[in-house]
Amino acid sequence: SRRIADDDPKWAEYLGIIDQEVRTADRIITDLLEMTRTRKPSRELTDLCDLARSAFDRVGETDRVRLTLSTRPDPFLVDVDPQQLRQVLTNLITNSVQAMKGRGEISVVAHSEGEFDVIAVQDDGPGIDAEAKELVFEPLHTTKAKGTGLGLPICRQIVERHGGSIELAEPREPGARMVIHLPRGKTTMTDQEAG
């Protein structure tokens, strides 16, 4: 049988491939574990803009990406589990940064509508084609070489745990637009309507 010499440069290439595959498997396992957790949201009043900035800071390769925030009112308080909603925003912003290839603008816009807080995350990337639109929330569906296909299903699971919904909406400008509806807590309603 053939053997590769210990000093053959192919060893480094093979080890690099193994390392990359292990990282991918680790990412998939981490995402699958997150999906199987049924932790009930631990809600507290949280400033949405603070969460969005924190999520943006967690995403790499944003040197040439601009984040804009627009809320009515400001501060915009949401009755959520801050860690869970930050994860949703981190996943959405990561998708946008990757779609825009690390250059462009992401806007987070929020307002109250009846008994819901409405949060829209819009980017100015290439958008999502019609065929992919039907499948974006399906587990393990991905168009990315390094994607796990679990980011958006996790987002949906977290939002639904909060009694809300998330959908891919028609963008108002070129790009992709995700819209989250979260039920407003009595505290947020009183505070924001009083302001």
Side-chain angles (χ1 to χ4, degrees):
S1 64
R2 286 181 59 209
R3 290 194 63 204
I4 300 172
D6 292 347
D7 59 351
D8 193 304
K10 282 190 179 292
W11 276 116
E13 182 188 344
Y14 293 156
L15 289 172
I17 292 168
I18 290 167
D19 184 57
Q20 189 176 344
E21 292 302 319
V22 167
R23 286 171 194 266
T24 301
D26 183 56
R27 222 170 32 247
I28 292 169
I29 290 164
T30 301
D31 285 352
L32 280 168
L33 285 171
E34 181 57 40
M35 282 202 75
T36 58
R37 289 190 187 114
T38 53
R39 186 165 63 84
K40 189 177 175 183
S42 179
R43 295 172 185 264
E44 59 184 79
L45 282 183
T46 307
D47 185 334
L48 176 67
C49 290
D50 287 346
L51 272 188
R53 286 188 200 97
S54 174
F56 185 74
D57 289 343
R58 287 168 170 241
V59 178
E61 299 176 16
T62 55
D63 295 347
R64 296 177 299 168
V65 178
R66 185 166 164 241
L67 176 70
T68 63
L69 304 167
S70 174
T71 64
R72 293 193 320 267
D74 182 13
F76 193 86
L77 302 176
V78 283
D79 186 29
V80 296
D81 183 312
Q83 289 183 332
Q84 291 185 14
L85 188 60
R86 186 193 294 117
Q87 183 175 2
V88 170
L89 294 172
T90 300
N91 287 359
L92 296 182
I93 290 169
T94 298
N95 285 352
S96 291
V97 169
Q98 290 174 352
M100 298 187 302
K101 296 185 166 48
R103 181 194 292 270
E105 182 172 333
I106 299 169
S107 63
V108 177
V109 180
H111 68 279
S112 297
E113 198 173 278
E115 295 182 0
F116 288 91
D117 288 326
V118 183
I119 303 163
V121 179
Q122 164 95 40
D123 65 50
D124 58 6
I128 299 172
D129 64 48
E131 190 177 326
K133 280 181 182 177
E134 301 299 316
L135 300 168
V136 291
F137 289 105
E138 291 297 315
L140 304 179
H141 171 77
T142 183
T143 57
K144 297 183 220 163
K146 295 183 180 179
T148 64
L150 293 168
L152 287 177
I154 288 170
C155 288
R156 181 169 65 180
Q157 188 179 67
I158 290 172
V159 171
E160 288 180 351
R161 260 185 229 153
H162 282 76
S165 64
I166 180 171
E167 62 180 351
L168 178 63
E170 282 303 314
R172 292 177 179 166
E173 297 157 19
R177 185 166 179 259
M178 288 285 180
V179 178
I180 299 167
H181 284 78
L182 292 172
R184 300 175 70 197
K186 290 178 183 173
T187 320
T188 56
M189 223 177 268
T190 307
D191 288 354
Q192 293 186 161
E193 287 172 354

